[in-house]
Amino acid sequence: MELTDSHTNPAYETHGDNQPDETNFHRHASGAEQNNDDNKNDLQRVSGENENKKVVFIGSGDMTLALSVAMSRACLQPVVGSRQPDRAKVRLKEVAIVTTVSEALSQGEIVILAIPADHHHSLPRQELRNKIVVDISNRAPGSSSKKDLSLGERLQEILPESHVVKAFNTISAYALQHGNIQGSREVPICGNDSRARAKVSELTRDLGLTPVDRGALRNAREVEDIPLAFFPEWKVAGIMTLLLFVFWYIFMLFRNQICPNIDSGTEWNWEVFQIFPLMNTQYAMAYTATCLLLFTYIPGTIAAYLQLYRGTKYSYFPNWLDKWLKSRKQTGLLALLIGTTHGCSAIFTQIAWSVREEWDHQLHFMFDLVQSIPGQRNVRSKLLPTQHASSLHAADDDDINLYDLAPVVPQELPEQGRKNNELPQG
């Protein structure tokens, strides 16, 4: 197929001398170079802007080191103020400028407090005036802030002329320092001043994290509860699993041990309780795993019928159904764990009983081999009493009772035989 003029690529159009027109090539090449130059200029401009941004730290602990490393990667300049700058330089000299607290506070608008909350009262209030103070401290385990003020609110009372923002208290220092944050990158941010929250949100984006505006500083009570929560996603599934296991365990106890003894009308047979710890646990795990698997799919079915009833899928579910739907993943994993444990335990239990029976068979087989060796039958005959020996000779090899092959030592030996180590004749 020949290309007509309408199918000709303008970049490959030829003139009278049949030479390619290089004008378009130079135009596209110059455009690409110009775009690359613009991108480089943008990167240099952003890097230059970030290099001029200085973030002040008070404290030289693990969180200061982690945030300083992250800010260095983002072309930000961390300035650390310490009471012992010479000691802090040994640890932070490669990633931050280390100086005194007073000198550090004069070099930046955003100040990150990386000190325990017990030392907030010793902060220089005048030097922190009109500055954005970021509180990254967390409460001690076991304490509650639902009724009391949060650490951020208490800090705002200590620094009434500063703009306190709660942030970065939910991020791991190790993950932040090494840059391998595998979990959520969300950083809850709350404060009473909207401009201060916007500044901290911009800093969070520069670090490659996702800011989440949580509003006023009173919401720091909920934010401070996040690091202390122990597997919050597993709460519903864990409670459901525990209740099911206890129910089925008690049910099997009544079914297999208590009710048969009551129905018999005689004295209790305590032998049935010998299998109580093992077998009842096996049954309880099997029934619990089955119910958990069932409860994994039930909430989705209920939600589907509810949407059909309402005629739309853009509606909120009830609170109990919403929590149930969110716990389906954990419920399914627990069902898999308990089912696998039940299967392995059942297999090992069956193997234990089979090995015991096989061991008995092996002992019987060994006695049979001993009996089949030539000359061993006569020795056995001498070791057995007369009536047992006669019956042993009369019986066929396959009909021998292997338990009769155990040697029977005579109670008394004649004096002459005892001296000569000879056995008496039958």
Side-chain angles (χ1 to χ4, degrees), residues 38-53 71-77 202 205-207:
D38 293 340
N39 293 333
K40 290 181 180 180
N41 293 332
D42 291 339
L43 291 175
Q44 292 177 356
R45 178 176 53 80
V46 173
S47 300
E49 292 178 356
N50 286 342
E51 286 179 358
N52 294 328
K53 290 183 180 179
M71 290 181 184
S72 298
R73 290 195 296 261
C75 298
L76 297 170
Q77 181 58 64
E202 182 182 356
R205 294 188 188 94
D206 291 338
L207 298 180

Side-chain angles (χ1 to χ4, degrees), residues 363-364 367-368 370-371 376-377 379-393 395-397 399-409:
L363 288 176
H364 297 168
F367 280 120
D368 194 16
V370 172
Q371 190 63 28
Q376 295 296 324
R377 184 179 297 277
V379 175
R380 287 288 183 177
S381 301
K382 295 179 180 180
L383 293 177
L384 295 176
T386 304
Q387 56 181 357
H388 288 278
S390 60
S391 62
L392 186 61
H393 286 294
D396 190 26
D397 289 341
D399 298 332
I400 295 175
N401 188 356
L402 299 178
Y403 290 103
D404 292 337
L405 298 179
V408 179
V409 179

Side-chain angles (χ1 to χ4, degrees), residues 192-209:
N192 293 331
D193 188 79
S194 58
R195 176 180 172 275
R197 294 200 308 269
K199 286 284 187 179
V200 177
S201 299
E202 182 182 356
L203 175 61
T204 304
R205 294 188 188 94
D206 291 338
L207 298 180
L209 303 174

Side-chain angles (χ1 to χ4, degrees), residues 337-351:
L337 174 63
I338 296 177
T340 304
T341 304
H342 162 70
C344 295
S345 179
I347 292 174
F348 293 151
T349 304
Q350 187 64 29
I351 289 176

